[in-house]
Amino acid sequence: MGDRHDRHDVDVVVIGAGQKAWIKQCCCKLISTVELGISGIYAAKFYLDIHPDCRLVVLDKDHFVGGTWNSRRSYDSFWTQWTVGNAEFSDIPMPRPSEEDLYFEFFKAKHTTQYLENYVDQQKHAGKTLRDRIIFGVKVQSVHKIDGKWLISTEEEASGTLQIFHTSKLMVASGLTSVPSMPVLPNKESFGGPIIHQEAFGSSDILSSPEIQNITVLGGGKSSADMIYAAVKAGKTVTWVCKATDTSGPGFFFSPKGKGPYKNAFQIGMTRIAASFTPSFMNGETRWTRFLHGSKYGVKLMSSFWGAIDKETRKDADFEGRESLQGFEKLCPHTPIFWQNGTGGLLNHADFFDIIAKNVRIYCADVLSLDKGLIHLHTGEEIPSQAILCGTGWVPSLQFLSQDLCIELGLPHLRASEPPNEQKLWAQLEITADKKVLASFPQLADPPPIYRKAVTLTPYRLYKHIAPLRDTDNATNSGSIVFIGHIIVGNYFRAVQCQAMWATAYLDGKLTLPSFEERCQEVALFTTWNRRRYLNNGERGNWMSFELIGYTDCLLEYLGLSSHRKSWFKELFEPCVASDLAGLSKEYVGKYGCDATENTRTDTVKP
């Protein structure tokens, strides 16, 4: 690490995805990201729309734009989980991919990569593009607040130069898929081959290396499935190992096909009528939702609806009847699809199940230890392997924040470190909230038997999933910090566009907030519901598999914006698309104003 220390004063800092990073002293507004993905890009862009002359800096540990979708992490068989017309921001449409890169309107991820690369070059404020404001290759080491200013300490990866940024506004868009969770593999130093996480898969030479023929993939979710499919297509001999203990089981893999007038399953999920089929406060409390989720007949109807989807999904896979090389039946999910208790996703290949069943040996076992070119399982079985790929999930990307600051800001922290008064506060609030959850959604009182993972961290406790709850002059946040993209949703483009507008209004002091007590009650209601609704996944307090439309409607209603609304019939049955939000920027400026209109974008910009 170098001895040089630079200081920079800026107005706003945006922190992207990453672990510990380098510090640069700047008097600026900072958006901090570990990897500059969808969240950081739009958070910075919209803030500059409203404050075009502000000194805004974006920190990115990577050297490529896009976060999960950047060119370093991409590979040819990596596809999106969203469709044409939704994988874009409302101001600039994404060019339609060629037909060979489309599958039921889903497309290869490289098109999202190129779209984001172009987007940061097309956005220009005060003579500088968004790319001009990004500092690549830096690691955020720590974040503190002193005398009303945020101090972001960073280290430049290449030179070791230390820098400190001083800023009055901080946007943390570090994402949920930026810091790999690597499994414990005893004696891994003896293995002799590469052991990499899915995060590094795209930049590796594993598929092209003639020395590597036998590959083992760990993990039962979508990222594992994607790597396995790619490896088989590359001619490798592949083994898939799913954990036997401390797991929610293999993920669900849905057919992308649509029904009736809808081209694909994603379109169906982007309608408000489909959104209302899940028991959620995000959908509002109407006669319709009370009937579906609060009445005897409605609950029975919804049980049949979700049961039919579950049955059809399992039938498509044919876990028990499909001819397989070994162990295909072990991929059968442990929990009904309604509960979303595991991982999974939409299929991007028509031959996926056939390829896996006929070419992959599947084990449900725990890794006991490694030896030279060998994996020992707890079952006594041994797997010869020359490379190990880990689709084993992610850890929180907030390591640059201390435990005390996480407690203060309402971010996940060790339950054992939570002060007794905080524990008592949330315990009391959640008892009251749980009664309301079960009174509103009685079906959530009777989940299926599952393995309950040990919970060591508190859930996210952010107001509207963006802002810390404590907002007084003496608190560490005092309306100067927001978190963008720290949620699990089906389409981040729509989510972060709405989050960025709400966050900007919040940082500018334009919003009237409820009392501290009311905000705590709302957060407790969500985290309690989340735990009931999504079981192990819901323990995180940020899981919204089916709540995207309701959540974004909630944010826009709070802001008093309505240009995205349609006639009642289209409102219910027409899929929401990115262009629906095209008028929101202009509407926002009309309601809340901006520093200058000359450089502010309010209309759709053509690529």
Side-chain angles (χ1 to χ4, degrees):
M1 187 175 292
D3 296 326
R4 178 184 168 192
H5 291 72
D6 292 338
R7 169 178 174 144
H8 306 271
D9 293 323
V10 296
D11 299 317
V12 178
V13 171
V14 179
I15 297 178
Q19 305 184 47
K20 292 186 175 179
W22 55 286
I23 298 183
K24 192 173 187 177
Q25 267 187 310
C26 315
C27 291
C28 61
K29 291 186 178 178
L30 173 71
I31 295 180
S32 170
T33 63
V34 178
E35 297 167 338
L36 185 60
I38 294 169
S39 301
I41 288 172
Y42 198 82
K45 180 266 182 190
F46 188 77
Y47 195 92
L48 286 166
D49 278 353
I50 306 305
H51 305 286
D53 296 318
C54 83
R55 296 168 299 171
L56 183 146
V57 173
V58 181
L59 305 181
D60 189 351
K61 77 162 185 180
D62 213 317
H63 297 274
F64 305 93
V65 168
T68 300
W69 310 97
N70 73 32
S71 57
R72 179 184 64 81
R73 294 174 64 171
S74 187
Y75 50 96
D76 188 61
S77 59
F78 183 28
W79 287 62
T80 66
Q81 290 285 282
W82 41 53
T83 56
V84 175
N86 266 298
E88 61 195 37
F89 299 119
S90 64
D91 58 335
I92 299 181
M94 186 192 79
R96 183 176 177 83
S98 59
E99 290 304 311
E100 59 265 28
D101 286 350
L102 289 169
Y103 182 63
F104 288 98
E105 296 294 288
F106 299 91
F107 52 90
K108 288 189 174 183
K110 66 181 181 181
H111 296 282
T112 291
T113 301
Q114 190 59 56
Y115 174 79
L116 296 175
E117 287 279 0
N118 293 340
Y119 194 86
V120 298
D121 291 327
Q122 293 165 339
Q123 300 301 318
K124 195 169 187 178
H125 302 81
K128 297 176 68 175
T129 66
L130 192 52
R131 188 185 295 276
D132 294 335
R133 301 171 186 271
I134 305 169
I135 303 175
F136 291 103
V138 297
K139 292 184 178 181
V140 174
Q141 301 284 13
S142 63
V143 173
H144 299 92
K145 194 172 189 186
I146 301 176
D147 297 329
K149 288 275 189 177
W150 290 102
L151 273 66
I152 298 94
S153 300
T154 67
E155 179 186 358
E156 190 170 359
E157 194 172 38
S159 67
T161 299
L162 303 177
Q163 303 191 57
I164 298 176
F165 292 89
H166 281 200
T167 182
S168 58
K169 306 290 184 184
L170 178 60
M171 306 176 86
V172 181
S174 53
L176 299 174
T177 57
S178 58
V179 184
S181 174
M182 290 296 287
V184 176
L185 301 172
N187 200 35
K188 65 180 180 181
E189 63 277 1
S190 300
F191 180 65
I195 302 174
I196 66 170
H197 191 273
Q198 186 268 346
E199 191 268 351
F201 178 63
S203 58
S204 75
D205 63 352
I206 286 177
L207 296 188
S208 60
S209 172
E211 287 78 33
I212 298 176
Q213 293 300 317
N214 295 321
I215 295 175
T216 298
V217 180
L218 308 182
K222 183 66 165 59
S223 61
S224 294
D226 287 343
M227 291 189 290
I228 289 166
Y229 185 88
V232 172
K233 286 291 189 178
K236 307 298 183 181
T237 299
V238 184
T239 302
W240 190 350
V241 178
C242 300
K243 289 177 66 177
T245 61
D246 192 30
T247 177
S248 298
F252 257 107
F253 300 107
F254 305 82
S255 168
K257 298 176 182 178
K259 301 283 186 181
Y262 302 106
K263 295 180 180 179
N264 51 66
F266 189 83
Q267 275 196 347
I268 298 172
M270 290 296 288
T271 64
R272 288 186 174 84
I273 189 67
S276 72
F277 290 168
T278 185
S280 171
F281 292 111
M282 291 283 184
N283 295 322
E285 295 186 63
T286 65
R287 289 183 179 179
W288 174 244
T289 58
R290 284 194 294 270
F291 165 72
L292 289 181
H293 309 297
S295 71
K296 175 182 177 181
Y297 297 107
V299 169
K300 186 175 181 180
L301 177 65
M302 287 295 95
S303 178
S304 297
F305 170 79
W306 285 103
I309 294 177
D310 187 274
K311 183 178 180 180
E312 183 176 354
T313 302
R314 294 174 190 269
K315 181 180 178 181
D316 285 344
D318 192 14
F319 293 110
E320 299 295 336
R322 189 183 293 267
E323 180 182 350
S324 72
L325 180 64
Q326 177 184 314
F328 185 71
E329 72 283 353
K330 292 181 172 65
L331 295 180
C332 186
H334 296 176
T335 313
I337 204 169
F338 166 81
W339 297 95
Q340 291 290 292
N341 187 47
T343 59
L346 290 159
L347 294 175
N348 298 121
H349 310 284
D351 61 350
F352 174 80
F353 286 129
D354 279 339
I355 289 292
I356 301 303
K358 295 177 181 178
N359 297 279
V360 180
R361 294 186 183 276
I362 300 165
Y363 295 83
C364 181
D366 297 326
V367 175
L368 188 64
S369 66
L370 304 182
D371 272 325
K372 177 68 174 178
L374 205 59
I375 301 173
H376 299 283
L377 303 180
H378 85 287
T379 57
E381 296 164 296
E382 296 179 344
I383 302 172
S385 190
Q386 295 161 314
I388 297 176
L389 307 179
C390 302
T392 46
W394 312 88
V395 297
S397 59
L398 301 170
Q399 291 93 333
F400 46 81
L401 301 176
S402 67
Q403 279 287 294
D404 288 344
L405 195 54
C406 285
I407 292 172
E408 186 71 26
L409 297 176
L411 301 171
H413 55 272
L414 292 172
R415 288 181 179 271
S417 69
E418 191 164 48
N421 62 318
E422 286 287 307
Q423 293 181 16
K424 183 178 180 181
L425 168 67
W426 290 108
Q428 292 175 338
L429 288 172
E430 289 178 358
I431 288 172
T432 301
D434 198 46
K435 293 177 181 177
K436 182 173 182 180
V437 170
L438 296 182
S440 301
F441 311 120
Q443 67 271 50
L444 300 186
D446 188 27
I450 63 165
Y451 169 76
R452 284 285 185 179
K453 295 182 179 180
V455 180
T456 59
L457 298 177
T458 61
Y460 276 89
R461 290 168 178 157
L462 297 172
Y463 184 58
K464 300 302 180 187
H465 308 281
I466 300 171
L469 287 168
R470 289 181 171 83
D471 192 18
T472 65
D473 293 337
N474 297 325
T476 53
N477 58 304
S478 67
S480 60
I481 182 171
V482 292
F483 297 83
I484 309 294
H486 286 258
I487 52 176
I488 300 293
V489 292
N491 182 352
Y492 281 94
F493 283 96
R494 183 183 181 91
V496 302
Q497 187 161 347
C498 296
Q499 280 194 325
M501 287 187 283
W502 195 97
T504 299
Y506 171 79
L507 291 175
D508 289 345
K510 302 289 187 180
L511 301 179
T512 301
L513 301 177
S515 68
F516 174 72
E517 291 75 17
E518 290 172 312
R519 281 178 281 141
C520 285
Q521 289 169 6
E522 181 175 321
V523 168
L525 182 63
F526 183 88
T527 56
T528 304
W529 165 83
N530 214 215
R531 193 178 299 120
R532 287 278 188 182
R533 175 66 183 87
Y534 293 118
L535 307 179
N536 284 322
N537 285 331
E539 293 285 356
R540 309 176 193 186
N542 66 343
W543 202 274
M544 292 187 271
S545 291
F546 301 117
E547 281 69 40
L548 171 66
I549 303 302
Y551 174 57
T552 53
D553 282 351
C554 172
L555 293 179
L556 296 177
E557 182 179 354
Y558 196 116
L559 291 169
L561 305 180
S562 59
S563 60
H564 62 295
R565 291 294 194 175
K566 309 171 186 178
S567 64
W568 74 267
F569 185 84
K570 289 183 177 181
E571 186 85 352
L572 283 176
F573 299 103
E574 189 176 85
C576 296
V577 294
S579 59
D580 294 343
L581 310 183
L584 287 175
S585 183
K586 183 175 182 179
E587 188 182 5
Y588 181 100
V589 171
K591 186 176 181 67
Y592 296 103
C594 62
D595 288 349
T597 57
E598 182 179 353
N599 295 315
T600 301
R601 304 265 179 90
T602 57
D603 297 314
T604 300
V605 179
K606 300 298 181 184

